[in-house]
Short mmCIF file of all heavy atoms in Angstrom, two decimals:
data_model
loop_
_atom_site.label_atom_id
_atom_site.label_comp_id
_atom_site.label_asym_id
_atom_site.label_seq_id
_atom_site.Cartn_x
_atom_site.Cartn_y
_atom_site.Cartn_z
N ARG A 291 -9.97 41.45 39.11
CA ARG A 291 -8.54 41.67 38.99
C ARG A 291 -7.78 40.34 38.86
O ARG A 291 -6.76 40.11 39.53
CB ARG A 291 -8.03 42.50 40.16
CG ARG A 291 -8.66 43.89 40.23
CD ARG A 291 -8.16 44.70 41.39
NE ARG A 291 -8.83 45.99 41.46
CZ ARG A 291 -8.43 47.09 40.81
NH1 ARG A 291 -7.34 47.05 40.07
NH2 ARG A 291 -9.11 48.22 40.92
N LYS A 292 -8.28 39.47 37.99
CA LYS A 292 -7.64 38.21 37.67
C LYS A 292 -7.22 38.24 36.19
O LYS A 292 -7.90 37.71 35.32
CB LYS A 292 -8.58 37.03 37.92
CG LYS A 292 -9.13 36.93 39.33
CD LYS A 292 -8.04 36.51 40.30
CE LYS A 292 -8.59 36.28 41.70
NZ LYS A 292 -7.54 35.89 42.66
N PRO A 293 -6.11 38.92 35.87
CA PRO A 293 -5.79 39.16 34.46
C PRO A 293 -5.50 37.92 33.64
O PRO A 293 -5.91 37.85 32.48
CB PRO A 293 -4.54 40.06 34.55
CG PRO A 293 -3.97 39.82 35.91
CD PRO A 293 -5.13 39.54 36.78
N LEU A 294 -4.84 36.93 34.20
CA LEU A 294 -4.56 35.71 33.45
C LEU A 294 -5.83 34.95 33.13
O LEU A 294 -6.02 34.48 32.00
CB LEU A 294 -3.58 34.81 34.21
CG LEU A 294 -3.18 33.51 33.50
CD1 LEU A 294 -2.54 33.83 32.14
CD2 LEU A 294 -2.23 32.69 34.36
N ALA A 295 -6.72 34.86 34.11
CA ALA A 295 -8.02 34.23 33.86
C ALA A 295 -8.81 34.99 32.81
O ALA A 295 -9.47 34.37 31.95
CB ALA A 295 -8.82 34.15 35.16
N ALA A 296 -8.74 36.31 32.84
CA ALA A 296 -9.43 37.12 31.84
C ALA A 296 -8.87 36.87 30.44
O ALA A 296 -9.62 36.73 29.46
CB ALA A 296 -9.32 38.60 32.18
N LEU A 297 -7.54 36.78 30.35
CA LEU A 297 -6.91 36.53 29.05
C LEU A 297 -7.31 35.16 28.50
O LEU A 297 -7.62 35.03 27.32
CB LEU A 297 -5.39 36.64 29.19
CG LEU A 297 -4.57 36.44 27.90
CD1 LEU A 297 -4.84 37.59 26.91
CD2 LEU A 297 -3.09 36.37 28.21
N LEU A 298 -7.33 34.15 29.36
CA LEU A 298 -7.71 32.80 28.92
C LEU A 298 -9.18 32.73 28.53
O LEU A 298 -9.53 32.09 27.53
CB LEU A 298 -7.41 31.79 30.03
CG LEU A 298 -5.92 31.60 30.38
CD1 LEU A 298 -5.77 30.66 31.56
CD2 LEU A 298 -5.16 31.08 29.18
N ALA A 299 -10.03 33.42 29.28
CA ALA A 299 -11.45 33.45 28.93
C ALA A 299 -11.67 34.18 27.61
O ALA A 299 -12.47 33.76 26.77
CB ALA A 299 -12.26 34.11 30.05
N SER A 300 -10.94 35.26 27.43
CA SER A 300 -11.03 36.00 26.17
C SER A 300 -10.58 35.12 24.99
O SER A 300 -11.24 35.09 23.95
CB SER A 300 -10.15 37.24 26.24
OG SER A 300 -10.10 37.93 25.02
N ALA A 301 -9.48 34.38 25.18
CA ALA A 301 -9.01 33.49 24.12
C ALA A 301 -10.04 32.40 23.82
O ALA A 301 -10.26 32.06 22.64
CB ALA A 301 -7.68 32.86 24.53
N ALA A 302 -10.66 31.87 24.85
CA ALA A 302 -11.70 30.85 24.65
C ALA A 302 -12.88 31.42 23.88
O ALA A 302 -13.46 30.74 23.00
CB ALA A 302 -12.15 30.29 25.99
N GLY A 303 -13.26 32.65 24.20
CA GLY A 303 -14.36 33.29 23.47
C GLY A 303 -14.04 33.47 22.00
O GLY A 303 -14.88 33.22 21.12
N ILE A 304 -12.81 33.93 21.71
CA ILE A 304 -12.39 34.10 20.32
C ILE A 304 -12.43 32.77 19.58
O ILE A 304 -12.94 32.67 18.46
CB ILE A 304 -10.99 34.71 20.27
CG1 ILE A 304 -11.02 36.17 20.74
CG2 ILE A 304 -10.39 34.64 18.86
CD1 ILE A 304 -9.65 36.81 20.89
N ALA A 305 -11.88 31.73 20.20
CA ALA A 305 -11.85 30.41 19.57
C ALA A 305 -13.26 29.92 19.28
O ALA A 305 -13.53 29.37 18.19
CB ALA A 305 -11.11 29.42 20.46
#
Side-chain angles (χ1 to χ4, degrees):
R291 298 179 183 272
K292 302 290 185 181
L294 181 58
L297 182 66
L298 294 176
S300 175
I304 290 172

